[in-house]
């Protein structure tokens, strides 16, 4: 299990402004200040931050990376995409299903340093026992996923 990660960025202030706005729909907030590093984490009543922004050594921009944040449902994926674009991100994949596996629904944006940032919800995350967490866009239950893959759920 990963406890936290640090993304090195060229301009911490610009990146903090971007990520605070982009991750707000995913219930992320600033939690840790270790100047000049800043940590964000889920709005869960704890002090734990799992995503840190820190200046790149010497101001150099490290190679872009890909980070995926888990969304609660498809509406949250869409809200992330809108917020990230409004905060200056570049569209790198509109919200929608992806062919990776059944139920994978994601949106992608490039941050100010060109990192590919994703919000995703899919069948491998806990789902509502009724099989839907976004009205009109049911998240597949494991039973539906197995049937869509041609498997049976019978023992």
């Amino acid at each position: 299990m990963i406890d936290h990660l640090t993304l090195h960025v060229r301009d911490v202030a610009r990146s903090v402004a971007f990520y605070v706005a982009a991750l707000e729909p995913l219930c992320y907030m600033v939690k840790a200040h270790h100047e000049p590093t800043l940590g964000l984490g889920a709005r869960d009543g704890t002090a734990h931050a799992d995503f840190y922004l820190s200046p790149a050594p010497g101001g150099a921009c490290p190679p872009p990376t890909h980070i995926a944040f888990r969304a609660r449902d498809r509406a949250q994926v869409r809200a992330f995409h809108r917020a990230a674009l409004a905060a200056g991100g570049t569209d790198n994949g509109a919200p929608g299903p992806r062919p990776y596996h059944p139920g994978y629904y994601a949106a992608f944006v490039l941050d100010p340093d060109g990192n590919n940032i994703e919000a995703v919800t899919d069948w491998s995350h806990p789902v509502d026992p009724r099989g839907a967490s976004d009205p009109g866009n049911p998240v597949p239950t494991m039973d539906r996923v197995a049937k869509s893959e041609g498997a049976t759920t019978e023992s």
Side-chain angles (χ1 to χ4, degrees):
M1 182 177 335
I2 295 173
D3 181 73
H4 65 275
L5 63 89
T6 299
L7 184 64
H8 289 101
V9 298
R10 282 183 289 188
D11 181 337
V12 173
R14 179 181 68 174
S15 291
V16 166
F18 171 79
Y19 280 103
V20 165
L23 298 180
E24 193 281 329
L26 302 178
C27 299
Y28 263 66
M29 61 184 282
V30 174
K31 289 188 160 189
H33 298 268
H34 307 291
E35 297 302 328
T37 299
L38 190 118
L40 294 97
R43 189 175 293 115
D44 61 4
T46 72
H48 181 74
D50 58 10
F51 180 63
Y52 287 83
L53 300 168
S54 188
C61 187
T65 192
H66 172 224
I67 301 171
F69 290 89
R70 186 178 301 164
R72 180 181 58 248
D73 54 29
R74 292 175 179 204
Q76 210 175 40
V77 169
R78 292 188 297 269
F80 155 81
H81 190 255
R82 283 189 306 272
L85 294 178
T90 302
D91 182 28
N92 200 33
R98 299 294 189 263
Y100 311 135
H101 57 254
Y104 199 104
Y105 187 92
F108 302 84
V109 296
L110 299 179
D111 77 358
D113 288 307
N115 295 297
N116 187 24
I117 309 303
E118 174 184 5
V120 58
T121 186
D122 71 54
W123 64 266
S124 67
H125 304 145
V127 297
D128 183 302
R130 298 171 307 241
S133 59
D134 183 9
N137 290 306
V139 174
T141 61
M142 290 310 293
D143 179 58
R144 287 191 205 137
V145 169
K147 287 178 183 174
S148 73
E149 293 175 344
T152 92
T153 57
E154 299 171 10
S155 302

